[in-house]
């Protein structure tokens, strides 16, 4: 008996990079599969696992490749011509500007890449881009008409419940608690010389550094450190030294405010913490991501003599990363964009989880971050340190500026999601092209 079911269409999502580190392309694949009911083939570099919703989706298949990005653009155009299919480019950034970070904008290789991108970009049947600034650049200088599709978080980026926070911090206990350096304000000392009861922050096996559970009740510890999260690709377009310098400034300024000097003992610091004497809290920075400059900065971190600041670097699963963002007190973005025309996806994710942000300032960042509503901008380590001092004074209960930004980020998290943005802006373009 012949089936009356309409034959499903098929689409290839080609990623010039690691699919696990390309959230926007993952979300495109989900929307094409679920909102357009298409069979989706993802062609991408291997490396990191995408979200479980991609890996286990019955309409999505992943195929790995490893060629350079330049021939890929030409290969996709050729393939679409041979198969009589349509070719759409989603412009996240410009490849030639990324190449220019290492070679300089005037290098012959960079100029050739620029020509290649613009030539094959004009061959596309349609284009999407991430900002109005990029839309203007494509129209004025590349003769490409693009539709702006702002990044939005998918539904699995949302504020984290207290139960989810506690379970996450218990899972990460082995990554967070071991010391990182000679004097680490997060590490729990158990040596005989520091055996004073109040210092043991993990009083019970069910405790985490930030939470405690008594029966069915879970609560945040009043003397917990403030948790600051940043994700980075550890590449030159994100100057991680800015965050290190700001953290060092915060550490020194807090010591100055409290009248401390280098002679303060670890025992005295722990006693002050456990008695709740925290005009300014300890800061724990959790830095997620992979990249070429990670080892260099990890060595720099270990050499810093920090007393009220600690760093941890880690790689989280695609499922745990949103939970960490929703459990943090502040997010930091160091992204400045090689072109100055794209926006940091990490900030979008942070807002999706209700997390306020301090973001590096550059030309189009205000398309995303609304200053003093859901975040703040900085242009130097000193400005970022100033923001830490202002936002965390009186933490956790008397920091009104931080709470105000948190309210703004929570409002942003509930206002728009990827599926809505995609249906409004991408779906009409796709439907027009394939009709």
């Amino acid at each position: 008996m012949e089936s009356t079911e309409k034959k499903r269409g098929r689409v290839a999502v080609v990623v010039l990079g690691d699919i696990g580190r390309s959230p926007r392309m993952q979300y495109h694949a989900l929307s094409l599969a679920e909102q357009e009911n298409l069979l989706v083939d993802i062609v991408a570099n291997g490396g990191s696992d995408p979200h479980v919703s991609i890996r286990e989706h019955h309409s999505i298949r992943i195929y790995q490749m490893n060629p350079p990005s330049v021939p890929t653009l030409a290969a996709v155009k050729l393939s679409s011509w041979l198969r009589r299919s349509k070719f759409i480019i989603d412009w996240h950034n410009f490849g030639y500007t990324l190449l220019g970070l290492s070679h300089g904008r005037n290098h012959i290789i960079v100029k050739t890449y620029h020509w290649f991108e613009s030539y094959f970009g004009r061959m596309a049947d349609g284009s999407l881009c991430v900002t109005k600034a990029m839309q203007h650049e494509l129209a004025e200088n590349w003769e490409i008409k693009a539709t702006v599709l702002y990044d939005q978080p998918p539904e699995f980026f949302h504020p984290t419940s207290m139960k989810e926070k506690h379970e996450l911090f218990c899972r990460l206990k082995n990554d967070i608690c071991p010391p990182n350096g000679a004097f680490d304000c997060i590490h729990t000392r158990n040596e005989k010389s520091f055996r004073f009861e109040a210092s043991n922050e993990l009083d019970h096996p069910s405790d985490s550094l930030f939470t405690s559970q008594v029966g069915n009740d879970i609560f945040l510890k009043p003397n917990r450190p403030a948790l600051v999260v940043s994700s980075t690709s550890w590449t030159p377009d994100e100057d991680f030294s800015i965050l290190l310098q700001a953290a060092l400034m915060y550490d020194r300024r807090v010591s100055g405010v409290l009248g401390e000097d280098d002679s303060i003992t670890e025992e005295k610091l722990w006693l002050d913490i456990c008695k709740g004497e925290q005009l300014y809290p300890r800061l724990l920075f959790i830095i997620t991501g992979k990249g070429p400059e990670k080892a260099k900065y990890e060595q720099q971190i270990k050499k810093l003599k920090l007393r009220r600041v600690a760093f941890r670097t880690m790689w989280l699963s695609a499922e745990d990363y949103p939970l960490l963002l929703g459990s943090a007190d502040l997010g930091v973005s160091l992204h400045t964009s090689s072109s100055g025309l794209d926006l940091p996806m990490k900030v979008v994710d942070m807002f999706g989880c209700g997390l306020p942000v301090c973001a590096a300032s550059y030309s189009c960042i205000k398309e995303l971050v609304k200053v003093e509503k859901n975040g703040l901008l900085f242009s130097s380590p000193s400005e970022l340190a100033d923001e830490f001092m202002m936002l965390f004074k009186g933490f956790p209960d008397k920091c009104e500026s931080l709470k105000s930004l948190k309210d703004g980020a929570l409002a942003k998290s509930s206002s728009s999601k990827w599926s809505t943005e995609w249906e409004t802006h991408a779906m009409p373009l796709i439907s027009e092209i394939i009709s």
Side-chain angles (χ1 to χ4, degrees):
M1 182 177 176
E2 184 177 346
S3 172
T4 58
E5 183 179 352
K6 182 180 178 180
K7 184 179 179 180
R8 296 176 68 185
R10 196 173 200 97
V11 63
V13 175
V14 181
V15 184
L16 304 185
D18 180 347
I19 181 60
R21 298 168 67 184
S22 305
R24 182 174 169 104
M25 300 308 285
Q26 293 183 51
Y27 308 157
H28 272 306
L30 279 176
S31 292
L32 289 163
E34 296 179 354
Q35 292 171 255
E36 285 281 15
N37 194 34
L38 296 170
L39 297 172
V40 180
D41 298 316
I42 297 177
V43 183
N45 292 353
S48 310
D49 288 334
H51 193 271
V52 65
S53 60
I54 297 288
R55 301 196 307 268
E56 298 182 357
H57 202 289
H58 65 279
S59 296
I60 298 176
R61 298 290 182 270
I62 301 176
Y63 303 90
Q64 291 190 6
M65 67 171 185
N66 264 300
S69 59
V70 170
T72 302
L73 197 59
V76 171
K77 175 57 187 176
L78 177 62
S79 176
S80 67
W81 178 73
L82 292 173
R83 298 178 65 88
R84 298 182 180 179
S85 58
K86 300 298 183 179
F87 175 33
I88 299 174
I89 297 178
D90 185 11
W91 299 92
H92 305 180
N93 199 354
F94 298 135
Y96 84 93
T97 62
L98 291 168
L99 194 62
L101 292 175
S102 55
H103 291 80
R105 287 287 185 96
N106 293 321
H107 196 283
I108 185 62
I109 294 177
V110 177
K111 290 183 176 180
T112 302
Y113 200 136
H114 186 188
W115 173 86
F116 186 91
E117 275 191 304
S118 62
Y119 179 79
F120 283 97
R122 288 191 292 272
M123 288 188 173
D125 298 293
S127 290
L128 298 165
C129 65
V130 294
T131 64
K132 291 179 180 178
M134 184 174 286
Q135 181 188 47
H136 179 78
E137 170 69 14
L138 287 168
E140 292 294 311
N141 298 318
W142 296 51
E143 299 178 359
I144 294 173
K145 181 182 178 182
T147 299
V148 177
L149 174 65
Y150 280 120
D151 281 318
Q152 299 289 353
E155 281 66 21
F156 46 80
F157 280 85
H158 54 76
T160 307
S161 69
M162 188 64 71
K163 183 174 183 293
E164 289 173 324
K165 289 180 182 179
H166 183 67
E167 291 174 348
L168 174 70
F169 290 137
C170 287
R171 284 199 302 276
L172 297 180
K173 194 180 294 186
N174 291 336
D175 296 305
I176 292 175
C177 292
N180 184 25
F183 194 116
D184 192 298
C185 67
I186 299 303
H187 177 52
T188 303
R189 294 287 187 178
N190 289 314
E191 290 89 337
K192 186 175 181 179
S193 59
F194 293 109
R195 195 181 290 276
F196 44 93
E197 187 66 25
S199 74
N200 193 345
E201 292 192 278
L202 306 181
D203 296 305
H204 307 287
S206 62
D207 276 7
S208 76
L209 180 65
F210 301 93
T211 56
S212 287
Q213 182 169 7
V214 179
N216 294 325
D217 295 327
I218 300 173
F219 57 90
L220 291 169
K221 293 181 176 180
N223 63 345
R224 68 188 182 276
L227 177 56
V228 183
V229 173
S230 184
S231 61
T232 177
S233 56
W234 303 101
T235 51
D237 64 336
E238 294 186 346
D239 187 356
F240 190 73
S241 65
I242 292 175
L243 182 56
L244 288 189
Q245 293 175 53
L248 185 61
M249 289 177 186
Y250 175 88
D251 191 79
R252 299 296 181 260
R253 291 179 189 180
V254 170
S255 295
V257 168
L258 300 180
E260 299 172 351
D261 56 32
D262 290 341
S263 65
I264 184 175
T265 65
E266 184 177 3
E267 182 172 357
K268 173 63 167 61
L269 175 59
W270 275 104
L271 284 171
D272 288 347
I273 290 168
C274 295
K275 287 187 295 184
E277 297 179 1
Q278 298 187 92
L279 179 61
Y280 292 95
R282 294 167 292 159
L283 298 186
L284 172 60
F285 290 90
I286 294 183
I287 315 299
T288 71
K290 297 177 181 178
E293 296 191 337
K294 181 180 179 181
K296 178 184 79 172
Y297 282 114
E298 285 179 328
Q299 290 302 312
Q300 291 184 23
I301 290 169
K302 289 181 180 180
K303 294 178 181 178
L304 295 177
K305 295 181 179 180
L306 300 169
R307 293 182 177 274
R308 294 184 177 269
V309 175
F311 282 85
R312 301 292 186 268
T313 59
M314 61 183 71
W315 176 257
L316 295 174
S317 69
E319 292 72 44
D320 276 349
Y321 178 62
L323 296 177
L324 178 65
L325 296 185
S327 302
D329 299 296
L330 182 69
V332 172
S333 170
L334 302 168
H335 179 85
T336 54
S337 173
S338 61
S339 66
L341 300 173
D342 70 310
L343 294 173
M345 186 69 192
K346 69 194 74 181
V347 174
V348 175
D349 294 339
M350 290 169 181
F351 286 158
C353 296
L355 181 63
V357 171
C358 289
S361 180
Y362 63 97
S363 56
C364 66
I365 189 64
K366 289 184 180 180
E367 288 191 41
L368 177 60
V369 178
K370 308 306 176 186
V371 177
E372 297 185 354
K373 291 184 178 180
N374 54 23
L376 299 173
L377 302 179
F378 61 87
S379 299
S380 68
S382 181
E383 287 183 8
L384 181 55
D386 289 342
E387 292 170 1
F388 290 156
M389 295 291 288
M390 178 190 70
L391 293 174
F392 289 118
K393 184 178 181 180
F395 182 87
D397 298 323
K398 298 178 181 179
C399 43
E400 296 306 317
S401 295
L402 182 61
K403 290 179 181 178
S404 176
L405 293 184
K406 176 77 171 178
D407 290 341
L410 286 169
K412 177 72 173 173
S413 74
S414 60
S415 63
S416 184
K417 292 295 182 183
W418 170 266
S419 59
T420 304
E421 186 80 5
W422 194 88
E423 185 172 340
T424 303
H425 298 286
M427 186 183 288
L429 174 67
I430 294 169
S431 298
E432 178 184 350
I433 289 173
I434 65 178
S435 63

